[in-house]
Each structure stands twice: as structure tokens, then as C-alpha cells.
Amino acid sequence: MGGAADAKKAPFGSSLMSVFMHADAADVALMVLGLVGAIGDGISTPAMLLITSRIFNDLGSGPDLLQEFSSKIDENARNLVFLALGCWVMAFLEGYCWSRTAERQASRMRARYLAAVLRQDVEYFDLKVGSTAEVIASVSNDSLVVQDVLSEKVPNFVMNAAMFFGSYAVALALLWRLTLVALPSVLLLIIPGFMYGRILIGLARRIREQYTRPGAVAEQAISSVRTVYSFAAERATMAQFSAALEESTRLGIKQGLAKGIAIGSNGITFAIWAFNVWYGSRLVMYHGYQGGTVFAASASIILGGLALGSGLSNVKYFSEASAAGERVLAVIRRVPKIDSGSDTGEELANVAGEVEFKNVEFCYPSRPESPIFASFCLRVPAGRTAALVGSSGSGKSTVVALLERFYDPSGGEVALDGVDIRRLRLKWLRAQIGLVSQEPALFATSIMENILFGKEDAAPEEVTAAAKAANAHNFISQLPQGYDTQVGERGVQMSGGQKQRIAIARAILKSPKILLLDEATSALDTESERVVQEALDLASVGRTTIVVAHRLSTIRNADMIAVMQYGEVKELGSHEELIADENGLYSSLVRLQQTRESNEVDEVSGAGSTSAVGQSSPFIG
């Protein structure tokens, strides 16, 4: 994702703030309460040792003095109960407040990220590296890293820091001689916690990140399961999935070795205990200290050192979360060249629908060395139907992309009713345009909701009217659940003709002034093409329509036909006008198509087939 390099260069202190950039006033209150809870939770352990030292000393006074100290023992026992209640409250605040604010901030971050991505121009997605599944997994990992740091690592760090300072404060207060002598052992105590936190948990995170690769393989295989079945590619898919798991397996073995070393290194605490007991015994014998004090001070020293090691291991995750937060913020802060979220721009009071391309120059951002248009000119009068024909790569679909303002030309202008579309408010402009593509995009929801995508607040009667105009109402009504029928992922439950008619109904519901048909019938059989073409003819009435033609049958009745080649309009006129020129480019394309159709018929007839063979072949191959 963009901004990764900037995230690495940013100072740690400033980039760390990106983790908390999505907090509101309620989150600040939750984090303050969570900090209080984490500090209280960390201090509770040394406080318990302080009270316990007094109880041990009283119990060690012997049977003769025990009756005298019984009231103190009772008092300290009550203090332990009060401490337990206070610890419960502090631990609850720590766990609840940090988990709650982490979920709130992570949810807000994901929502802002999606809104920012939907705001980006098409160029952003053209230049993005990686598959959709990998990009989604990367974003998911970034948000999970931030959420994990907020919910666990920050409170854990604060709690361990409080435990360290509290433990050594208690140890110094109880037995400063022992504490100063044992202070160098802190370095040894840091090792177990630091190894466990930094190495072992770090490996676990790398394993989780590695699972995105086999996850992407599984996602692609399941989403295209029919293709996998049709090519009997189950074995190859499993081999690819297993190969993607090899790295995580290697890391798992490494994790097991690190876990054994980290847990085994905890044995060093017993050696430090032995030294503290030995030196503490000398303090009891020669300096008059009590055994309970020696025990509590020794325990405080060891627990404080282990807490410091565990707390320092979390610093690594603050750096990771900062980088993740910076990557997300880089997308959120990115202002695209074509900003669909901007409300600036003009709105025309009355839209006639005249479209004109004036000396347009353009090349795709991903291929700047290959210009598509050098000086492209075309005018489509309001309410007329214009067809674009030509060989692949001639720039037909680019006309649609520029009119939708997916891209801006590097030179010239695209005008709507004489106004450069770059001066118009982008959302308003796209609301005037309906697009039906060669491969219609349906969402995994009901037919009703797919059609409502064209106009979210439309009444059911409007949806039905749009479906009738798209020649889709009859087949929808025959379905068991009617308009509530689920279309499946990417419309897999619908046939090609049914998907196209649903897409046309969605465009009609939008009631656009301009209708763009980008090879809308190219992938259909003859009967489906006829039905869909009838729906398109009805939808085109009273609208400016631009048809990217794939078959002759779809453009014969167009008001004007533009024959394109190498990004230029070579011929312009009606079908009759263009076909009259036997040496023209349009006539050659028509003859080429007719020749292909004749060859296909001859091949089928020679094979003895009795099936219908009327499907039109591509206009140009």
C-alpha cells in the first residue's frame, strides 16, 4: 500500500500517534480509565507482597508472641481482602476499557479506510500491486495489529511498568541492602520475558502473516470453484496451497525451538532466588532483619525483573502498530486527482445530453508510453444513439472511461452540453450516466437490492417498472422468491442474459440522461442477445446512447456509427451511408464478420449438427 515508505521514515514518537488518531472523546475517557486500571493492576502485586511480609513476620514471631500479634494479623488479612476487591476493580477497568476502545477505534479506522478507498480514482487501483485477496488481507492485518496493540500490548506494557517500579519501590522500602546487591540480576531476569515476548510472539505474528498466501489461494479457488471443477484442477490447487504453507511450517518449527529455550530460561529465576535466600540469611543473622521481609523483598526483585522483560518485549509491537497506522493514514489522507468525495463543481440546471470529445489526448497511467488518443474528436447530439466500432485496442472502451471520468485526458476536453466535465461536480455527473458493461457486476444479495443499487430510495413500483422496461420482470416473477431471489456471488445463480437484464434494469432505475453500453451483448447466445437487445432499444429511447459495438446486430439501427482505428475516428455516418462505400473500413469489417459467420455455419453443417446456429460472431476478432 502507498505510504509504507513514509511510515518507516517518520519519527517513532510522531508515528506512534497514528495508532490513536481514530479516538474520539469517549475513547480518550476509556483510555484514561484503562491506564488507571493498568497501573492499579500492576501495583497490586507489590502491594500484596508488602502486606504479606508483615503477616509472615507476625507468624514467624513464635507461639509466645502470636497472641499479641493476632490483631495485626487480622488487620493485614482484611487489607488483603480489600486489596483483592481493589485489584478486581482495577483489572476490570484495564480489560474492559482497553478492549472497548480498541474495538471502537479499529472499527472507525476500517470504516474510514473503506471510505477513503472508495473515494480514490481508478488510477489508484490500476497502479496497486497485488491481488485483491492479498490487498484485503494486508489491510485486515494492519487493522488487527492496531487493535491488538490497543487491547493488549499498551495495557500490558503499562501494567508491567507499574509492577516493575512498584516492586522495586517495595523492595527498597523493605530491604534496601538486598535490593542493591540483587539489582544487577535484573538483566538476567529480563531475558526470559524478553525472549518469550519478542522472539516467540514475533514468530507467531510472522506465521499469521504467512497464512495470507494460502488464504489467497483458497479464496481464489473457492470463488472460482466451477473453473477448478471443469479443469479437474483440485490436485493442482491443493499442491499450490501446500506449497504456500511451507514457509509457515518452517516458522512453526522455529517457534517450537524458541518456545523451548524461552520457557527453559525461566529456570534462571531459581538461581537468583538461591542467591537472595543466601544473602538474606546473612542479613537476618547479622543485621536483625526478619524472614518475612527477606522473602517479600526477594519476590519483589524477581517479579519486578520479569515484569520489565515482559513489558520491554511490547515495544516492538508499538513500532509495528505505528507503521500499520501510518499505512492506513496514508490512504485516508490521499487526495485523488479525480475526487469522488468532493462536493465542489457546477451542476447544470437542464441536461440535454449532448456529448463531445474535443482534441482529446490520453494514455493510461499504467502505460504512459502507449498513447491511446492523440487528437480524438467526436460529437454525439442529444437524444441520439452513437455506435463505436473498430478493432481491439482502437479506444472504444476508453471513450466510456473518459466520459464516466474514471480518467481525465492529458489534453483536450470532454464536454457535456458544451461544459467541460472537469468543471462539473463528479457525483452529479455520474448520476446523469447509466453504464451497462459486457460483464455486469452483481452483488451477492437479492435481485431487488441489486436493482436498487441504481437508486437506493426507489419504491418497489419503480423497481418493477424498471425491470419491465429491461425485459426482466417476466423471468424474475417466475422465480420461487421473485425479487427476493439471491443472485449468488457475482451473480453466479443467474444466466448471462438474466444478469445483463438485471444490470439494465439497474441502469434504467437510475433514469440517466446518457446511457453507455460497453459491449453489453457480446457474451450472450442468439436468443438472449435478442431479448437483451430489445431491452436496450427500449432503454435508449429519449436518451443519448453510446454503444461500444461487438456485433453488427447491435449497431445496425444506430443514428450514427463511428469507425475507430488507432485512436481516431476514420469513418462516421449511418449504416447505409457507410456500407455504400465498398472500399471503406466499415464495409471491410462487415464483410469480415459475414465471412466468419459463413465459415461457422459450414463447419456446423458439415458436422451434422441440427442445433440452431444464428449467433453472431464478434464484429472484429
Side-chain angles (χ1 to χ4, degrees), residues 64-84:
D64 297 334
L65 300 176
L66 190 59
Q67 186 69 30
E68 179 181 344
F69 292 116
S70 61
S71 61
K72 292 184 179 180
I73 293 175
D74 293 342
E75 179 184 352
N76 287 320
R78 285 194 299 271
N79 290 338
L80 283 177
V81 173
F82 296 146
L83 178 62

Side-chain angles (χ1 to χ4, degrees), residues 7 15 18-19 22 109 142 146 320-330:
S15 63
S18 64
V19 178
H22 307 281
M109 179 179 70
D142 285 344
V146 173
E320 290 182 359
S322 299
E326 284 290 333
R327 287 194 294 268
V328 172
L329 278 178

Side-chain angles (χ1 to χ4, degrees), residues 541-573:
V541 176
R543 295 185 173 94
T544 303
T545 305
I546 297 179
V547 182
V548 175
H550 198 79
R551 295 174 180 170
L552 179 60
S553 57
T554 63
I555 55 100
R556 187 185 295 271
N557 298 324
D559 296 313
M560 55 186 294
I561 299 173
V563 184
M564 298 179 60
Q565 189 177 54
Y566 305 124
E568 297 181 6
V569 177
K570 296 296 186 180
E571 297 177 3
L572 184 64

